[in-house]
PDB file of all heavy atoms in Angstrom:
ATOM      1  N   TYR A   1      17.253   3.029  -4.469  1.00 98.00           N
ATOM      2  CA  TYR A   1      16.086   3.830  -5.083  1.00 98.00           C
ATOM      3  C   TYR A   1      16.269   5.242  -4.680  1.00 98.00           C
ATOM      4  O   TYR A   1      16.416   5.572  -3.516  1.00 98.00           O
ATOM      5  CB  TYR A   1      14.809   3.190  -4.411  1.00 98.00           C
ATOM      6  CG  TYR A   1      14.422   1.847  -4.926  1.00 98.00           C
ATOM      7  CD1 TYR A   1      15.148   0.777  -4.636  1.00 98.00           C
ATOM      8  CD2 TYR A   1      13.371   1.813  -5.790  1.00 98.00           C
ATOM      9  CE1 TYR A   1      14.744  -0.478  -5.058  1.00 98.00           C
ATOM     10  CE2 TYR A   1      12.982   0.437  -6.238  1.00 98.00           C
ATOM     11  CZ  TYR A   1      13.699  -0.590  -5.897  1.00 98.00           C
ATOM     12  OH  TYR A   1      13.302  -1.878  -6.390  1.00 98.00           O
ATOM     13  N   THR A   2      16.114   6.097  -5.565  1.00 97.00           N
ATOM     14  CA  THR A   2      16.013   7.609  -5.351  1.00 97.00           C
ATOM     15  C   THR A   2      14.725   7.906  -4.571  1.00 97.00           C
ATOM     16  O   THR A   2      13.914   7.169  -4.635  1.00 97.00           O
ATOM     17  CB  THR A   2      16.203   8.395  -6.592  1.00 97.00           C
ATOM     18  OG1 THR A   2      14.903   8.148  -7.382  1.00 97.00           O
ATOM     19  CG2 THR A   2      17.299   8.057  -7.466  1.00 97.00           C
ATOM     20  N   HIS A   3      14.673   9.184  -4.119  1.00 97.00           N
ATOM     21  CA  HIS A   3      13.430   9.565  -3.351  1.00 97.00           C
ATOM     22  C   HIS A   3      12.333   9.514  -4.380  1.00 97.00           C
ATOM     23  O   HIS A   3      11.232   8.978  -3.982  1.00 97.00           O
ATOM     24  CB  HIS A   3      13.636  11.041  -2.934  1.00 97.00           C
ATOM     25  CG  HIS A   3      12.544  11.575  -2.089  1.00 97.00           C
ATOM     26  ND1 HIS A   3      11.350  11.938  -2.700  1.00 97.00           N
ATOM     27  CD2 HIS A   3      12.370  11.763  -0.777  1.00 97.00           C
ATOM     28  CE1 HIS A   3      10.543  12.411  -1.752  1.00 97.00           C
ATOM     29  NE2 HIS A   3      11.144  12.361  -0.537  1.00 97.00           N
ATOM     30  N   ASP A   4      12.453   9.964  -5.633  1.00 97.00           N
ATOM     31  CA  ASP A   4      11.396   9.924  -6.555  1.00 97.00           C
ATOM     32  C   ASP A   4      10.904   8.478  -6.905  1.00 97.00           C
ATOM     33  O   ASP A   4       9.728   8.148  -7.104  1.00 97.00           O
ATOM     34  CB  ASP A   4      11.629  10.641  -7.732  1.00 97.00           C
ATOM     35  CG  ASP A   4      11.774  12.227  -7.533  1.00 97.00           C
ATOM     36  OD1 ASP A   4      11.259  12.734  -6.503  1.00 97.00           O
ATOM     37  OD2 ASP A   4      12.341  13.023  -8.445  1.00 97.00           O
ATOM     38  N   GLU A   5      11.907   7.592  -7.115  1.00 98.00           N
ATOM     39  CA  GLU A   5      11.590   6.240  -7.375  1.00 98.00           C
ATOM     40  C   GLU A   5      10.809   5.576  -6.254  1.00 98.00           C
ATOM     41  O   GLU A   5       9.932   4.790  -6.519  1.00 98.00           O
ATOM     42  CB  GLU A   5      12.865   5.481  -7.698  1.00 98.00           C
ATOM     43  CG  GLU A   5      13.491   5.837  -9.030  1.00 98.00           C
ATOM     44  CD  GLU A   5      14.880   5.276  -9.117  1.00 98.00           C
ATOM     45  OE1 GLU A   5      15.611   4.977  -8.116  1.00 98.00           O
ATOM     46  OE2 GLU A   5      15.463   5.161 -10.296  1.00 98.00           O
ATOM     47  N   LEU A   6      11.171   5.789  -4.960  1.00 98.00           N
ATOM     48  CA  LEU A   6      10.622   5.369  -3.851  1.00 98.00           C
ATOM     49  C   LEU A   6       9.168   5.905  -3.657  1.00 98.00           C
ATOM     50  O   LEU A   6       8.271   5.240  -3.311  1.00 98.00           O
ATOM     51  CB  LEU A   6      11.500   5.596  -2.615  1.00 98.00           C
ATOM     52  CG  LEU A   6      10.988   4.990  -1.263  1.00 98.00           C
ATOM     53  CD1 LEU A   6      10.602   3.462  -1.360  1.00 98.00           C
ATOM     54  CD2 LEU A   6      12.140   5.119  -0.243  1.00 98.00           C
ATOM     55  N   LYS A   7       8.948   7.272  -4.046  1.00 98.00           N
ATOM     56  CA  LYS A   7       7.656   7.926  -3.860  1.00 98.00           C
ATOM     57  C   LYS A   7       6.680   7.249  -4.809  1.00 98.00           C
ATOM     58  O   LYS A   7       5.612   7.084  -4.470  1.00 98.00           O
ATOM     59  CB  LYS A   7       7.811   9.343  -4.204  1.00 98.00           C
ATOM     60  CG  LYS A   7       6.520  10.111  -4.053  1.00 98.00           C
ATOM     61  CD  LYS A   7       6.081  10.212  -2.538  1.00 98.00           C
ATOM     62  CE  LYS A   7       4.961  11.153  -2.272  1.00 98.00           C
ATOM     63  NZ  LYS A   7       3.750  10.757  -2.997  1.00 98.00           N
ATOM     64  N   ALA A   8       7.185   6.806  -5.987  1.00 98.00           N
ATOM     65  CA  ALA A   8       6.258   6.122  -6.931  1.00 98.00           C
ATOM     66  C   ALA A   8       5.784   4.747  -6.291  1.00 98.00           C
ATOM     67  O   ALA A   8       4.641   4.394  -6.453  1.00 98.00           O
ATOM     68  CB  ALA A   8       6.971   5.847  -8.293  1.00 98.00           C
ATOM     69  N   LEU A   9       6.661   4.040  -5.501  1.00 98.00           N
ATOM     70  CA  LEU A   9       6.172   2.872  -4.905  1.00 98.00           C
ATOM     71  C   LEU A   9       5.221   3.177  -3.742  1.00 98.00           C
ATOM     72  O   LEU A   9       4.198   2.393  -3.551  1.00 98.00           O
ATOM     73  CB  LEU A   9       7.443   1.999  -4.470  1.00 98.00           C
ATOM     74  CG  LEU A   9       8.386   1.532  -5.436  1.00 98.00           C
ATOM     75  CD1 LEU A   9       9.521   0.708  -4.798  1.00 98.00           C
ATOM     76  CD2 LEU A   9       7.669   0.733  -6.523  1.00 98.00           C
ATOM     77  N   THR A  10       5.582   4.048  -3.009  1.00 98.00           N
ATOM     78  CA  THR A  10       4.753   4.403  -1.801  1.00 98.00           C
ATOM     79  C   THR A  10       3.346   4.975  -2.293  1.00 98.00           C
ATOM     80  O   THR A  10       2.297   4.746  -1.581  1.00 98.00           O
ATOM     81  CB  THR A  10       5.275   5.458  -0.852  1.00 98.00           C
ATOM     82  OG1 THR A  10       5.692   6.650  -1.545  1.00 98.00           O
ATOM     83  CG2 THR A  10       6.659   4.806  -0.307  1.00 98.00           C
ATOM     84  N   ASP A  11       3.271   5.595  -3.494  1.00 98.00           N
ATOM     85  CA  ASP A  11       1.988   5.945  -3.920  1.00 98.00           C
ATOM     86  C   ASP A  11       1.139   4.784  -4.267  1.00 98.00           C
ATOM     87  O   ASP A  11      -0.138   4.770  -4.072  1.00 98.00           O
ATOM     88  CB  ASP A  11       2.124   6.844  -5.256  1.00 98.00           C
ATOM     89  CG  ASP A  11       2.721   8.233  -4.930  1.00 98.00           C
ATOM     90  OD1 ASP A  11       2.597   8.681  -3.851  1.00 98.00           O
ATOM     91  OD2 ASP A  11       3.124   8.918  -5.888  1.00 98.00           O
ATOM     92  N   VAL A  12       1.783   3.686  -4.760  1.00 98.00           N
ATOM     93  CA  VAL A  12       0.939   2.477  -4.943  1.00 98.00           C
ATOM     94  C   VAL A  12       0.484   1.852  -3.726  1.00 98.00           C
ATOM     95  O   VAL A  12      -0.676   1.453  -3.529  1.00 98.00           O
ATOM     96  CB  VAL A  12       1.864   1.451  -5.704  1.00 98.00           C
ATOM     97  CG1 VAL A  12       1.203   0.096  -5.776  1.00 98.00           C
ATOM     98  CG2 VAL A  12       2.279   1.903  -7.040  1.00 98.00           C
ATOM     99  N   LEU A  13       1.350   1.855  -2.633  1.00 98.00           N
ATOM    100  CA  LEU A  13       1.074   1.300  -1.326  1.00 98.00           C
ATOM    101  C   LEU A  13      -0.044   2.015  -0.719  1.00 98.00           C
ATOM    102  O   LEU A  13      -0.800   1.481   0.105  1.00 98.00           O
ATOM    103  CB  LEU A  13       2.317   1.236  -0.557  1.00 98.00           C
ATOM    104  CG  LEU A  13       3.357   0.222  -1.085  1.00 98.00           C
ATOM    105  CD1 LEU A  13       4.780   0.514  -0.388  1.00 98.00           C
ATOM    106  CD2 LEU A  13       2.885  -1.226  -0.901  1.00 98.00           C
ATOM    107  N   LEU A  14      -0.147   3.422  -0.923  1.00 98.00           N
ATOM    108  CA  LEU A  14      -1.250   4.032  -0.285  1.00 98.00           C
ATOM    109  C   LEU A  14      -2.638   3.709  -0.803  1.00 98.00           C
ATOM    110  O   LEU A  14      -3.619   3.776  -0.201  1.00 98.00           O
ATOM    111  CB  LEU A  14      -0.968   5.674  -0.674  1.00 98.00           C
ATOM    112  CG  LEU A  14      -0.035   6.362   0.073  1.00 98.00           C
ATOM    113  CD1 LEU A  14       0.179   7.771  -0.423  1.00 98.00           C
ATOM    114  CD2 LEU A  14      -0.287   6.447   1.568  1.00 98.00           C
ATOM    115  N   ARG A  15      -2.611   3.157  -2.061  1.00 98.00           N
ATOM    116  CA  ARG A  15      -3.886   2.575  -2.618  1.00 98.00           C
ATOM    117  C   ARG A  15      -4.299   1.290  -2.133  1.00 98.00           C
ATOM    118  O   ARG A  15      -5.317   0.727  -2.438  1.00 98.00           O
ATOM    119  CB  ARG A  15      -3.756   2.608  -4.160  1.00 98.00           C
ATOM    120  CG  ARG A  15      -3.490   4.046  -4.781  1.00 98.00           C
ATOM    121  CD  ARG A  15      -3.805   3.980  -6.241  1.00 98.00           C
ATOM    122  NE  ARG A  15      -2.855   3.216  -7.001  1.00 98.00           N
ATOM    123  CZ  ARG A  15      -1.755   3.756  -7.502  1.00 98.00           C
ATOM    124  NH1 ARG A  15      -1.487   5.061  -7.275  1.00 98.00           N
ATOM    125  NH2 ARG A  15      -0.916   2.974  -8.234  1.00 98.00           N
ATOM    126  N   HIS A  16      -3.441   0.658  -1.389  1.00 98.00           N
ATOM    127  CA  HIS A  16      -3.554  -0.704  -0.859  1.00 98.00           C
ATOM    128  C   HIS A  16      -3.455  -0.782   0.701  1.00 98.00           C
ATOM    129  O   HIS A  16      -2.360  -1.267   1.162  1.00 98.00           O
ATOM    130  CB  HIS A  16      -2.695  -1.685  -1.473  1.00 98.00           C
ATOM    131  CG  HIS A  16      -2.959  -1.815  -3.004  1.00 98.00           C
ATOM    132  ND1 HIS A  16      -3.927  -2.512  -3.588  1.00 98.00           N
ATOM    133  CD2 HIS A  16      -2.384  -1.185  -3.987  1.00 98.00           C
ATOM    134  CE1 HIS A  16      -3.830  -2.315  -4.985  1.00 98.00           C
ATOM    135  NE2 HIS A  16      -2.850  -1.573  -5.202  1.00 98.00           N
ATOM    136  N   PRO A  17      -4.380  -0.246   1.545  1.00 98.00           N
ATOM    137  CA  PRO A  17      -4.178  -0.119   2.834  1.00 98.00           C
ATOM    138  C   PRO A  17      -4.101  -1.415   3.673  1.00 98.00           C
ATOM    139  O   PRO A  17      -3.750  -1.375   4.760  1.00 98.00           O
ATOM    140  CB  PRO A  17      -5.513   0.610   3.254  1.00 98.00           C
ATOM    141  CG  PRO A  17      -6.486   0.394   2.272  1.00 98.00           C
ATOM    142  CD  PRO A  17      -5.742   0.255   1.004  1.00 98.00           C
ATOM    143  N   HIS A  18      -4.435  -2.584   3.019  1.00 98.00           N
ATOM    144  CA  HIS A  18      -4.143  -3.902   3.673  1.00 98.00           C
ATOM    145  C   HIS A  18      -2.724  -4.367   3.670  1.00 98.00           C
ATOM    146  O   HIS A  18      -2.358  -5.287   4.214  1.00 98.00           O
ATOM    147  CB  HIS A  18      -5.071  -4.927   3.017  1.00 98.00           C
ATOM    148  CG  HIS A  18      -4.772  -5.348   1.546  1.00 98.00           C
ATOM    149  ND1 HIS A  18      -4.890  -4.363   0.514  1.00 98.00           N
ATOM    150  CD2 HIS A  18      -4.255  -6.415   1.137  1.00 98.00           C
ATOM    151  CE1 HIS A  18      -4.487  -4.987  -0.517  1.00 98.00           C
ATOM    152  NE2 HIS A  18      -4.078  -6.162  -0.276  1.00 98.00           N
ATOM    153  N   VAL A  19      -1.807  -3.643   2.828  1.00 98.00           N
ATOM    154  CA  VAL A  19      -0.464  -4.104   2.652  1.00 98.00           C
ATOM    155  C   VAL A  19       0.431  -3.335   3.733  1.00 98.00           C
ATOM    156  O   VAL A  19       0.437  -2.065   3.695  1.00 98.00           O
ATOM    157  CB  VAL A  19       0.062  -3.793   1.297  1.00 98.00           C
ATOM    158  CG1 VAL A  19       1.417  -4.295   1.074  1.00 98.00           C
ATOM    159  CG2 VAL A  19      -0.852  -4.592   0.256  1.00 98.00           C
ATOM    160  N   TRP A  20       1.233  -4.095   4.466  1.00 98.00           N
ATOM    161  CA  TRP A  20       2.196  -3.513   5.293  1.00 98.00           C
ATOM    162  C   TRP A  20       3.518  -3.520   4.636  1.00 98.00           C
ATOM    163  O   TRP A  20       3.796  -4.269   3.721  1.00 98.00           O
ATOM    164  CB  TRP A  20       2.253  -4.263   6.579  1.00 98.00           C
ATOM    165  CG  TRP A  20       1.140  -3.992   7.590  1.00 98.00           C
ATOM    166  CD1 TRP A  20      -0.155  -4.138   7.266  1.00 98.00           C
ATOM    167  CD2 TRP A  20       1.177  -3.590   8.871  1.00 98.00           C
ATOM    168  NE1 TRP A  20      -0.907  -3.768   8.283  1.00 98.00           N
ATOM    169  CE2 TRP A  20      -0.137  -3.436   9.456  1.00 98.00           C
ATOM    170  CE3 TRP A  20       2.275  -3.407   9.679  1.00 98.00           C
ATOM    171  CZ2 TRP A  20      -0.287  -3.023  10.655  1.00 98.00           C
ATOM    172  CZ3 TRP A  20       2.086  -2.941  11.073  1.00 98.00           C
ATOM    173  CH2 TRP A  20       0.645  -2.746  11.461  1.00 98.00           C
ATOM    174  N   ILE A  21       4.454  -2.669   5.077  1.00 98.00           N
ATOM    175  CA  ILE A  21       5.815  -2.503   4.405  1.00 98.00           C
ATOM    176  C   ILE A  21       6.900  -2.908   5.561  1.00 98.00           C
ATOM    177  O   ILE A  21       6.911  -2.325   6.630  1.00 98.00           O
ATOM    178  CB  ILE A  21       5.960  -1.007   3.974  1.00 98.00           C
ATOM    179  CG1 ILE A  21       4.918  -0.616   3.001  1.00 98.00           C
ATOM    180  CG2 ILE A  21       7.414  -0.794   3.400  1.00 98.00           C
ATOM    181  CD1 ILE A  21       3.649   0.132   3.701  1.00 98.00           C
ATOM    182  N   MET A  22       7.736  -3.769   5.013  1.00 98.00           N
ATOM    183  CA  MET A  22       8.929  -4.097   5.854  1.00 98.00           C
ATOM    184  C   MET A  22      10.112  -3.754   5.050  1.00 98.00           C
ATOM    185  O   MET A  22      10.329  -4.182   3.904  1.00 98.00           O
ATOM    186  CB  MET A  22       8.929  -5.653   6.091  1.00 98.00           C
ATOM    187  CG  MET A  22       9.973  -6.107   6.924  1.00 98.00           C
ATOM    188  SD  MET A  22      10.058  -8.079   7.074  1.00 98.00           S
ATOM    189  CE  MET A  22       8.410  -8.320   7.884  1.00 98.00           C
ATOM    190  N   THR A  23      10.859  -2.823   5.680  1.00 98.00           N
ATOM    191  CA  THR A  23      12.038  -2.296   4.980  1.00 98.00           C
ATOM    192  C   THR A  23      13.253  -2.991   5.583  1.00 98.00           C
ATOM    193  O   THR A  23      13.374  -3.436   6.712  1.00 98.00           O
ATOM    194  CB  THR A  23      12.229  -0.749   5.204  1.00 98.00           C
ATOM    195  OG1 THR A  23      12.890  -0.556   6.541  1.00 98.00           O
ATOM    196  CG2 THR A  23      11.021  -0.005   5.168  1.00 98.00           C
ATOM    197  N   ASP A  24      14.324  -3.185   4.837  1.00 98.00           N
ATOM    198  CA  ASP A  24      15.593  -3.726   5.054  1.00 98.00           C
ATOM    199  C   ASP A  24      16.579  -2.654   4.698  1.00 98.00           C
ATOM    200  O   ASP A  24      17.020  -2.506   3.557  1.00 98.00           O
ATOM    201  CB  ASP A  24      15.809  -4.914   4.376  1.00 98.00           C
ATOM    202  CG  ASP A  24      17.249  -5.706   4.784  1.00 98.00           C
ATOM    203  OD1 ASP A  24      18.000  -4.854   5.419  1.00 98.00           O
ATOM    204  OD2 ASP A  24      17.522  -6.877   4.497  1.00 98.00           O
ATOM    205  N   ASP A  25      16.960  -1.792   5.717  1.00 98.00           N
ATOM    206  CA  ASP A  25      17.828  -0.662   5.494  1.00 98.00           C
ATOM    207  C   ASP A  25      19.246  -0.943   5.812  1.00 98.00           C
ATOM    208  O   ASP A  25      19.995   0.071   6.133  1.00 98.00           O
ATOM    209  CB  ASP A  25      17.289   0.610   6.244  1.00 98.00           C
ATOM    210  CG  ASP A  25      15.899   0.956   5.889  1.00 98.00           C
ATOM    211  OD1 ASP A  25      15.424   0.520   4.838  1.00 98.00           O
ATOM    212  OD2 ASP A  25      15.364   1.708   6.573  1.00 98.00           O
ATOM    213  N   MET A  26      19.642  -2.160   5.791  1.00 98.00           N
ATOM    214  CA  MET A  26      20.954  -2.540   6.448  1.00 98.00           C
ATOM    215  C   MET A  26      22.114  -1.873   5.766  1.00 98.00           C
ATOM    216  O   MET A  26      23.199  -1.639   6.375  1.00 98.00           O
ATOM    217  CB  MET A  26      21.127  -4.020   6.313  1.00 98.00           C
ATOM    218  CG  MET A  26      22.219  -4.570   7.047  1.00 98.00           C
ATOM    219  SD  MET A  26      22.132  -4.409   8.949  1.00 98.00           S
ATOM    220  CE  MET A  26      20.836  -5.646   9.353  1.00 98.00           C
ATOM    221  N   TYR A  27      21.974  -1.520   4.404  1.00 98.00           N
ATOM    222  CA  TYR A  27      23.004  -0.861   3.823  1.00 98.00           C
ATOM    223  C   TYR A  27      23.017   0.668   3.737  1.00 98.00           C
ATOM    224  O   TYR A  27      23.524   1.353   2.743  1.00 98.00           O
ATOM    225  CB  TYR A  27      23.331  -1.418   2.353  1.00 98.00           C
ATOM    226  CG  TYR A  27      23.515  -2.958   2.435  1.00 98.00           C
ATOM    227  CD1 TYR A  27      22.590  -3.948   2.398  1.00 98.00           C
ATOM    228  CD2 TYR A  27      24.897  -3.422   2.519  1.00 98.00           C
ATOM    229  CE1 TYR A  27      22.777  -5.297   2.553  1.00 98.00           C
ATOM    230  CE2 TYR A  27      25.164  -4.771   2.566  1.00 98.00           C
ATOM    231  CZ  TYR A  27      24.146  -5.622   2.597  1.00 98.00           C
ATOM    232  OH  TYR A  27      24.418  -7.014   2.734  1.00 98.00           O
ATOM    233  N   GLU A  28      22.101   1.238   4.566  1.00 98.00           N
ATOM    234  CA  GLU A  28      21.732   2.733   4.473  1.00 98.00           C
ATOM    235  C   GLU A  28      23.021   3.515   4.389  1.00 98.00           C
ATOM    236  O   GLU A  28      23.002   4.474   3.569  1.00 98.00           O
ATOM    237  CB  GLU A  28      21.039   2.973   5.809  1.00 98.00           C
ATOM    238  CG  GLU A  28      20.940   4.515   6.051  1.00 98.00           C
ATOM    239  CD  GLU A  28      20.281   4.849   7.456  1.00 98.00           C
ATOM    240  OE1 GLU A  28      20.017   3.912   8.214  1.00 98.00           O
ATOM    241  OE2 GLU A  28      19.957   5.983   7.607  1.00 98.00           O
ATOM    242  N   HIS A  29      24.057   3.353   5.162  1.00 98.00           N
ATOM    243  CA  HIS A  29      25.214   4.169   5.092  1.00 98.00           C
ATOM    244  C   HIS A  29      26.198   3.910   4.102  1.00 98.00           C
ATOM    245  O   HIS A  29      27.269   4.597   3.916  1.00 98.00           O
ATOM    246  CB  HIS A  29      25.906   4.145   6.478  1.00 98.00           C
ATOM    247  CG  HIS A  29      25.036   4.707   7.616  1.00 98.00           C
ATOM    248  ND1 HIS A  29      24.751   6.021   7.642  1.00 98.00           N
ATOM    249  CD2 HIS A  29      24.527   4.176   8.698  1.00 98.00           C
ATOM    250  CE1 HIS A  29      23.898   6.278   8.744  1.00 98.00           C
ATOM    251  NE2 HIS A  29      23.877   5.150   9.358  1.00 98.00           N
ATOM    252  N   LEU A  30      26.010   2.845   3.343  1.00 98.00           N
ATOM    253  CA  LEU A  30      26.971   2.439   2.271  1.00 98.00           C
ATOM    254  C   LEU A  30      26.431   2.885   1.037  1.00 98.00           C
ATOM    255  O   LEU A  30      25.873   2.027   0.118  1.00 98.00           O
ATOM    256  CB  LEU A  30      27.123   0.898   2.228  1.00 98.00           C
ATOM    257  CG  LEU A  30      27.702   0.347   3.649  1.00 98.00           C
ATOM    258  CD1 LEU A  30      27.759  -1.221   3.549  1.00 98.00           C
ATOM    259  CD2 LEU A  30      29.063   0.849   3.864  1.00 98.00           C
TER     260      LEU A  30
END
């Protein structure tokens, strides 16, 4: 996900304060 694609998702999550986010960044460097 590009920064902008991810920002679109985080904008949704901001509207739902009861939802927590669990990231799996295992392939970050690949």
Side-chain angles (χ1 to χ4, degrees):
Y1 288 71
T2 65
H3 185 284
D4 289 346
E5 289 168 338
L6 187 45
K7 185 64 169 67
L9 298 182
T10 59
D11 284 348
V12 172
L13 295 163
L14 285 174
R15 297 195 292 271
H16 298 279
H18 66 292
V19 179
W20 283 55
I21 302 93
M22 182 182 298
T23 81
D24 182 348
D25 298 346
M26 193 63 76
Y27 297 91
E28 168 186 6
H29 292 299
L30 302 175

